[in-house]
Amino acid sequence: MMISPEGYYEVNLKGKSQGEILKEIRSLKREINQLKRYLEEHSLEPEEMFPTRLTRLKCNREYLDRAIQAYAETGGIYKPTKAEQKDQAFNESLQHMKRFIFDYGGYFGGYEKRTCTITDEKVLFDLEHSLYLKPSNHPVYEPFTKVEFLEGIAALHIGEWKRNYIDPLVFDGTQWSIDIEYEGDHKPVYIDGSNAFPYNFDDLLEFLGVNEEGDEDEV
């Protein structure tokens, strides 16, 4: 069982020196990176550990945030890594996002495209599937506000993801891509994969309401 961030603080950080807290921060970051690598290298294997590695990773993120806060409380100035700066910059750019397009599927189950368009304070949602006729030519509003949608995307830490995830040993299976368009001069973001996935890809599927069984979702 994982403990809360405050419980973690009481057990591992309270009363520690600045140097000891910094050492704990480095240890947490090493474990987070190890968990990411394992999950991506074994993305097609079922998870049998409990708590799962992804749960441990998410908890360690919260512990890391608490450790950085404790480090600042001792007068330390935390310097984020390039990867952390990249993720932070990505999340800041979301305020200028106008469209999030997700393609997902395979040869046998068909392909679907989910397009989420930011309009004022709502998210306009459109679904196309290669094996199904659309029930209507009119898009519908997904039950997300703009704030909820952007917070959900930010929580995925897509800024940390690689730009390509490819398993060269698997020819059939699942292909996917993310295409993010922005207002103004922000450069678009494109990420894709074939039978390989980021460590928290299932969180993205859940957030977008993708049914991995291949059945068409009700919209």
Side-chain angles (χ1 to χ4, degrees):
M1 178 180 294
M2 310 300 292
I3 60 176
S4 69
E6 286 306 314
Y8 166 80
Y9 170 80
E10 291 290 331
V11 174
N12 297 280
L13 302 173
K14 188 174 181 179
K16 296 291 181 67
S17 68
Q18 189 179 112
E20 289 172 324
I21 294 174
L22 183 59
K23 183 177 180 180
E24 186 70 16
I25 288 173
R26 290 169 176 163
S27 176
L28 284 168
K29 290 169 72 169
R30 281 195 300 270
E31 185 171 357
I32 288 170
N33 288 331
Q34 289 169 0
L35 288 167
K36 285 181 187 176
R37 283 195 296 271
Y38 182 92
L39 288 166
E40 292 183 352
E41 291 170 1
H42 301 81
S43 60
L44 298 179
E45 299 177 8
E47 178 67 271
E48 298 178 351
M49 178 178 291
F50 183 81
T52 66
R53 290 179 176 83
L54 184 56
T55 296
R56 289 165 51 198
L57 190 157
K58 291 176 180 178
C59 287
N60 281 341
R61 277 195 192 278
E62 295 183 2
Y63 299 161
L64 177 59
D65 289 341
R66 187 63 185 90
I68 292 172
Q69 179 185 338
Y71 184 63
E73 289 168 354
T74 66
I77 300 176
Y78 179 72
K79 296 181 180 179
T81 64
K82 289 184 178 179
E84 290 169 330
Q85 293 176 30
K86 179 183 174 184
D87 187 43
Q88 182 179 354
F90 173 84
N91 285 348
E92 290 174 353
S93 75
L94 293 178
Q95 296 302 320
H96 304 282
M97 181 171 68
K98 67 177 182 180
R99 192 169 292 112
F100 184 99
I101 304 169
F102 180 62
D103 284 281
Y104 178 77
Y107 178 79
F108 296 103
Y111 294 88
E112 66 176 49
K113 175 185 287 187
R114 292 171 185 250
T115 303
C116 304
T117 304
I118 307 296
T119 60
D120 297 323
E121 297 306 313
K122 291 185 178 181
V123 178
L124 194 64
F125 176 83
D126 187 54
L127 172 63
E128 300 175 61
H129 198 291
S130 63
L131 300 183
Y132 301 97
L133 292 176
K134 293 179 63 174
S136 170
N137 291 326
H138 300 287
V140 298
Y141 279 102
E142 182 73 354
F144 280 123
T145 65
K146 176 182 177 180
V147 171
E148 290 171 338
F149 185 75
L150 296 185
E151 287 180 348
I153 295 297
L156 295 169
H157 297 281
I158 292 175
E160 296 178 346
W161 292 8
K162 296 180 289 187
R163 289 296 175 258
N164 303 97
Y165 291 83
I166 307 295
D167 186 341
L169 302 180
V170 181
F171 299 100
D172 293 323
T174 301
Q175 286 74 49
W176 61 274
S177 67
I178 292 173
D179 194 354
I180 302 176
E181 301 173 4
Y182 296 92
E183 300 283 358
D185 298 329
H186 285 268
K187 185 178 179 181
V189 172
Y190 185 79
I191 306 172
D192 66 351
S194 178
N195 304 301
F197 310 91
Y199 63 92
N200 58 346
F201 189 75
D202 285 348
D203 286 348
L204 172 65
L205 297 182
E206 181 179 355
F207 178 69
L208 295 177
V210 178
N211 187 339
E212 291 189 86
E213 301 302 320
D215 297 330
E216 185 179 21
D217 292 352
E218 292 184 2
V219 179

